[in-house]
Amino acid sequence: MPPDSSQLVLRSTRVVTPEGTRPASVTVAGGRITAVLPHDAEVPAGARLQDFGDDALLPGLVDTHVHVNDPGRSEWEGFWTATRAAAAGGVTTLLDMPLNSLPPTTTVDHLRVKQDVARSKAHVDTGFWGGAVPGNVAELRPLHDAGVFGFKCFLSPSGVEEFPELDAGQLEAALTEIASFGGLLIVHAEDPAHLSAAPQRAGGRYADFLASRPRAAENDAVALLVRLARQLDARVHVLHLSSADALPMIAEARREGVRLTVETCPHFLTLTAEEVPDGATEFKCCPPIRERENQDALWQGLADGVIDCVVSDHSPCTADLKTPDFRDAWGGISSLQLGLPAVWTEARRRGHSLDDVVRWMSGGPAALAGLAAKGAIAPGRDADFAVLAPEQTFTVDPAALHHRNRVTAYAGRTLHGVVRSSWLRGEQITDHSRPVRTSGRLIERNPA
């Protein structure tokens, strides 16, 4: 290689590549990975060397399910705090959900408002989902052309009045339009009839809350999505799958060629209903954290490749909204900074490797969103990295988190995996969770 003072070489005995983890030297120029070389490859004249020893070099994580809530509910979160937390947790790319902000991302004008707010605050690369709500079918193609990565809808109430759910007819109309231009619909899949029929008891008993969001609500909603995706030859993604009962149906549909993908979340993989204390509404989310045997089946779904990716569904709020009453408290888990160590802690206990975690939390979400430059340490990809000390442990201290509101279900837990640093297009953006540079960009769906 010719001398190049802008070149960077990142070296580790554990570089996680698509071909497996191995000792390697990764060369970077112009913000892109140029080569993955043997560990002892000669460093080009004039290049800078960063040797991480035995710390693992991972591709930066891609989190396609983040509620930033900015503008409008920025006291809940915000682009400045959310993207700092993401970077501290090894996440170098995130996609913002279209609701909980005011305005919601349901028109191109609303998208531009959100982009204007985010542009100067992003510590990591940031893109946007659009929203499919009653009455905005005509807005879907313009939003697609404006660069959103797809469209989110709810089949049951979202929790905020400005983002209503779609009924069956509205869902089919929206999906027909989205399929006409090759777009992607991502769905909060809980059937409203099951939720209405389930007991809705006030109070602090977690068992009562769990009974109010039965597995059947998810299972029947997924069945509806399978039918419509098959009928319309449409791309559909199931958000935050909680009920493992739906996995056989999903697997069968995919064998038939139905274009259906599915995600789950760190809290479903690491927390169980049996351990949620009564009144501890920091554990409340919708769909809910379920029983241990259900969690085991979700892990099997990941191992079998039925579940495509693991993303945070980071959905924060102010502390006062986490009242002790499970019926009335805001439903959402704050985990953007903690997803990697949380998942790695449980994955290693179950015999999975860092290669698996990277596939679920980087490669899978990048593929879902069509982010061809993200998700892997390979020549031509963006030089986005997370440096992880896999064997080191830490105890979660809410005061050390960068989330605007430091309410977390992980408080006091001891986790494996300390993120030493994060890198975005060859520039270091954190050092031991402390931000050192703000170099995030707004990204759009690749028109190709």
Side-chain angles (χ1 to χ4, degrees), residues 213-384:
R213 317 290 295 208
R215 296 189 201 186
E218 285 191 84
N219 302 338
D220 283 5
V222 171
L224 171 62
L225 296 176
V226 168
R227 178 176 65 79
L228 286 176
R230 181 188 291 118
Q231 172 187 321
L232 300 172
D233 189 25
R235 294 174 60 216
V236 176
H237 179 72
V238 178
L239 295 166
H240 45 48
L241 184 73
S242 162
S243 172
D245 295 347
L247 290 172
M249 171 189 0
I250 292 166
E252 177 60 27
R254 285 160 61 138
R255 283 192 293 269
E256 296 172 5
V258 177
R259 295 196 291 167
L260 186 75
T261 53
V262 60
E263 71 186 37
T264 193
C265 303
H267 39 277
F268 298 139
L269 297 171
T270 63
L271 307 173
T272 63
E274 291 88 343
E275 65 187 314
V276 178
D278 288 343
T281 55
E282 62 268 27
F283 290 85
K284 179 183 175 179
C285 56
C286 300
I289 295 164
R290 301 194 187 275
E291 301 86 352
R292 185 171 290 107
E293 53 86 17
N294 181 80
Q295 183 184 90
D296 291 341
L298 289 177
W299 276 100
Q300 189 61 52
L302 275 171
D304 294 342
V306 181
I307 298 175
D308 299 271
C309 52
V310 178
V311 291
S312 70
D313 189 12
H314 177 70
S315 185
C317 66
T318 53
D320 61 294
L321 296 180
K322 285 291 192 180
T323 68
D325 186 328
F326 272 102
R327 188 183 66 177
D328 297 335
W330 177 257
I333 304 282
S334 294
S335 64
L336 186 53
Q337 188 171 334
L338 299 170
L340 173 56
V343 172
W344 169 237
T345 298
E346 186 65 13
R348 70 192 296 275
R349 189 183 73 80
R350 291 174 178 264
H352 294 288
S353 67
L354 277 176
D355 301 68
D356 296 326
V357 172
V358 164
R359 184 171 68 254
W360 301 328
M361 301 189 76
S362 186
L368 169 71
L371 290 165
K374 308 291 187 182
I377 296 178
R381 303 287 185 117
D382 284 352
D384 301 347

Side-chain angles (χ1 to χ4, degrees), residues 190 194-195 198-200 209-219 243 288 290:
E190 287 183 287
H194 281 289
L195 299 183
Q200 305 291 324
F209 172 65
L210 185 59
S212 76
R213 317 290 295 208
R215 296 189 201 186
E218 285 191 84
N219 302 338
S243 172
R290 301 194 187 275

